[in-house]
Amino acid sequence: MLDLKYLRQNYQEVKEKLQHRGEDLTDLDHFEEWDQKRRQYIQESEELKARRNEVSKEISVLKKEKKDADHLIKEMREVGDRIKEIDEQLKSVEEKLNELLLSIPNIPHESTPIGESEDDNIEVRKWGDVRQFNFEEKPHWDVATDLGILDFERASKVTGSRFVFYKGIGARLERALINFMMDYQVDEHGYEEMMPPQIVNRDSLTGTGQLPKFAEDVFKLEDWDYFLIPTAEVPVTNYHRDEILTADDMPKKFAAYSANFRSEAGSAGRDTRGLIRQHQFNKIELVHLAIPEESYDTLEELTGHAEKILQLLKLPYRVMSMCTGDLGFTAAKKYDIEVWIPSNNTYREISSCSNFEDFQARRAGLRFRRDPNSKPEFVHTLNGSGLAVGRTVAAILENYQEADGSLTIPEVLRPYMGNRERIEPK
RNA sequence: GGAGAAGUACCCAAGUGGCUGAAGGGGCUCCCCUGCUAAGGGAGUAGGUCGUUAUGCGGCGCGAGGGUUCGAAUCCCUCCUUCUCCGCCA
């Protein structure tokens, strides 16, 4: 959410900057009208309320002195009716204004490249050497099925498409990755570990920006105003919602494991096979609450923390800076980390690291005080995957497959896998 | 799920319609006393937000949202949270 006053004072400039995002901004045309009406109603209503407060005191005095106050009471009855009328109009215009503010995307940071689509994203760096196979490499779902460690067919029976069973050593691999990633972020990068609720309410999803605009992307519980989390970003960022932190509390760094649930509305037919696009997947999420002037340094640090996991797993990747047209609703700047997937002959997103500046903080009421006497300011929020576990499994299956159908286990995972070095086909 | 109780400022807490636009404590800040410490004495201690071309004025605020009333922390309704007992349950 943008600041009302900022938007009022920089209306044209904001409008221009948002145009680079390629979003429909026709609602924005109402802003000036509604903003003005709102302030007009507030003024009228408050004048009458001030008058009512004053006269109510007079009435109280008169009554004590046993004097007649009927004419004042009658007048105040009319004033009260008028206040009610104005407040109703005020409420209606505030609702519209609020809805508008909630639907305006964040302003891209000046370092975000301007562009229309993913083709305009810019490669920032590349790490690792892509393996040259001396046999025909298989897609990860074939590797996994031949190893007997993933079962997509039965998951379809039990639930439906885009779900999977991890079996035996496959389940162990997934769990090893979760533990390895979490241990590393906590022990080496100083994150505080969190296990959040995986169901959240409407306010939380509004706080991080999934609602109201992207309701179709999340699963909602029937008969409840509760939703399955699409990412741990939602509960963890909302952890301090409507709080004022002290400077001593800052910055905050949380690492959270959770399952993630996404409806994948609108992506029918894409990545229908394998682990890349599931309705449910595991992820370690890194969340920062940063002091505003530090947040862009934090974004680099956070991205580095995610990259480190891929380096330790020896999986080749590249880092892309998302252009204005591919930025997402809430981010001011975003890096995607993409891992090499041999069967696709390309890099695929495995982590997304964003700085939202104060966009989420304003929605969620996340503030801090620099010192005990200063005014509260909005924090900057950031998050990034460290990493998406299912896609990491896919990358390992493809990059570590051997000609005989076996799989080499990345060295750093072996302590988590009973010191196994490989998985043999059934 | 059933029955009951409670939510007041940093904390505890008084308060059933109008000098409470929130008593009193504790804590915290400052001052006095004091060789130091302790004890004692005094003063201060809503914050936030919104409106207003404003070193000021005003609106809102007692869990949240409605309602009654000239006037609500106080009366009514709905909801949320916490606690106790019972039931059920991993």
Side-chain angles (χ1 to χ4, degrees):
Chain A
M1 189 159 66
L2 305 182
D3 177 48
L4 184 70
K5 285 177 189 160
Y6 180 81
L7 184 56
R8 186 184 300 150
Q9 281 157 17
N10 305 278
Y11 182 68
Q12 283 308 326
E13 190 194 332
V14 169
K15 212 169 167 180
E16 277 164 35
K17 282 185 177 167
L18 292 180
Q19 251 141 24
H20 295 309
R21 285 176 158 277
E23 293 220 20
D24 178 24
L25 294 170
T26 48
D27 287 349
L28 200 51
D29 295 337
H30 294 290
F31 172 76
E32 288 177 310
E33 180 201 336
W34 291 344
D35 177 50
Q36 207 182 346
K37 269 195 174 166
R38 170 176 171 270
R39 286 184 289 160
Q40 183 195 325
Y41 289 140
I42 287 174
Q43 271 187 63
E44 286 178 25
S45 171
E46 288 190 353
E47 253 170 56
L48 292 174
K49 281 173 183 167
R51 167 99 181 123
R52 180 175 65 183
N53 288 342
E54 205 179 310
V55 174
S56 287
K57 261 184 209 162
E58 285 174 34
I59 292 173
S60 157
V61 172
L62 287 175
K63 289 234 172 188
K64 248 187 209 97
E65 296 171 354
K66 307 268 195 229
K67 287 182 184 164
D68 177 58
D70 287 355
H71 63 291
L72 287 178
I73 289 175
K74 187 166 175 258
E75 188 198 333
M76 283 310 102
R77 194 174 296 150
E78 281 160 21
V79 168
D81 289 345
R82 181 72 189 129
I83 289 171
K84 201 175 280 182
E85 277 173 39
I86 296 169
D87 280 352
E88 269 167 32
Q89 287 172 298
L90 173 63
K91 194 179 166 191
S92 143
V93 78
E94 278 195 324
E95 272 168 17
K96 283 194 278 192
L97 195 59
N98 198 254
E99 200 180 319
L100 172 62
L101 285 173
L102 287 175
S103 74
I104 301 172
N106 202 356
I107 299 170
H109 187 248
E110 56 186 14
S111 67
T112 292
I114 291 170
E116 286 180 12
S117 72
E118 60 179 315
D119 300 331
D120 302 313
N121 296 336
I122 289 175
E123 183 180 301
V124 178
R125 58 184 164 270
K126 200 181 260 187
W127 183 94
D129 296 320
V130 168
R131 177 178 165 193
Q132 299 303 315
F133 287 91
N134 53 11
F135 59 94
E136 195 177 337
E137 73 268 28
K138 296 183 283 190
H140 66 272
W141 53 87
D142 283 344
V143 178
T145 309
D146 293 349
L147 291 170
I149 62 173
L150 293 178
D151 192 332
F152 293 95
E153 283 181 22
R154 289 194 174 89
S156 302
K157 173 180 72 183
V158 170
T159 306
S161 66
R162 297 199 190 284
F163 286 88
V164 67
F165 276 93
Y166 287 75
K167 279 173 58 182
I169 196 69
R172 179 76 176 260
L173 175 62
E174 176 90 0
R175 188 159 55 84
L177 278 165
I178 291 168
N179 286 332
F180 161 64
M181 290 176 188
M182 182 58 88
D183 287 353
Y184 198 85
Q185 300 298 359
V186 168
D187 294 340
E188 305 300 324
H189 294 147
Y191 285 85
E192 184 173 0
E193 182 166 355
M194 283 276 230
M195 275 210 192
Q198 308 201 14
I199 293 174
V200 293
N201 61 29
R202 181 173 294 274
D203 287 344
S204 293
L205 281 160
T206 306
T208 33
Q210 286 80 11
L211 290 180
K213 260 198 151 174
F214 307 100
E216 64 171 19
D217 294 334
V218 293
F219 287 111
K220 183 174 186 301
L221 270 62
E222 195 175 7
D223 297 332
W224 293 73
D225 208 25
Y226 287 174
F227 305 81
L228 300 182
I229 59 171
T231 158
E233 161 194 355
V234 179
V236 176
T237 307
N238 278 281
Y239 180 72
H240 286 297
R241 189 174 72 223
D242 295 325
E243 292 182 24
I244 301 174
L245 304 172
T246 65
D248 297 343
D249 296 328
M250 305 278 294
K252 289 267 185 189
K253 307 166 68 172
F254 296 115
Y257 158 74
S258 83
N260 299 255
F261 303 91
R262 300 191 180 175
S263 72
E264 294 299 340
S267 56
R270 294 182 63 191
D271 304 308
T272 48
R273 303 197 70 183
L275 291 171
I276 297 294
R277 196 173 299 276
Q278 295 274 300
H279 285 308
Q280 174 188 333
F281 61 95
N282 294 309
K283 178 157 61 67
I284 306 298
E285 184 74 2
L286 309 175
V287 174
H288 288 241
L289 307 183
I291 291 167
E293 62 271 23
E294 295 174 357
S295 70
Y296 279 94
D297 290 339
T298 303
L299 178 63
E300 300 302 321
E301 182 190 321
L302 168 64
T303 308
H305 292 165
E307 286 176 61
K308 185 69 186 179
I309 300 295
L310 288 169
Q311 291 170 11
L312 290 166
L313 290 168
K314 298 194 168 78
L315 291 168
Y317 67 86
R318 63 179 187 180
V319 178
M320 306 293 287
S321 180
M322 299 289 101
C323 74
T324 51
D326 203 20
L327 196 54
F329 180 72
T330 44
K333 181 170 179 138
K334 176 157 88 173
Y335 293 121
D336 272 7
I337 303 173
E338 299 179 339
V339 68
W340 179 253
I341 299 288
S343 70
N344 287 181
N345 198 36
T346 187
Y347 292 89
R348 298 297 305 262
E349 178 191 337
I350 195 164
S351 171
S352 194
C353 301
S354 309
N355 186 356
F356 307 98
E357 299 189 359
D358 62 7
F359 187 84
Q360 292 181 325
R362 184 169 283 113
R363 290 172 160 248
L366 289 165
R367 297 182 292 173
F368 80 106
R369 251 187 255 275
R370 286 180 192 270
D371 66 73
N373 294 318
S374 55
K375 293 206 81 154
E377 295 172 54
F378 288 110
V379 306
H380 279 193
T381 62
L382 302 97
N383 68 50
S385 344
L387 307 159
V389 182
R391 287 187 179 183
T392 306
V393 170
I396 290 170
L397 290 172
E398 297 216 359
N399 286 284
Y400 280 85
Q401 63 179 302
E402 304 299 348
D404 63 1
S406 69
L407 182 81
T408 303
I409 294 173
E411 265 178 64
V412 288
L413 293 181
R414 291 175 192 171
Y416 292 91
M417 302 277 292
N419 293 316
R420 284 176 181 77
E421 289 177 16
R422 53 201 314 107
I423 302 173
E424 304 291 344
K426 284 206 159 176

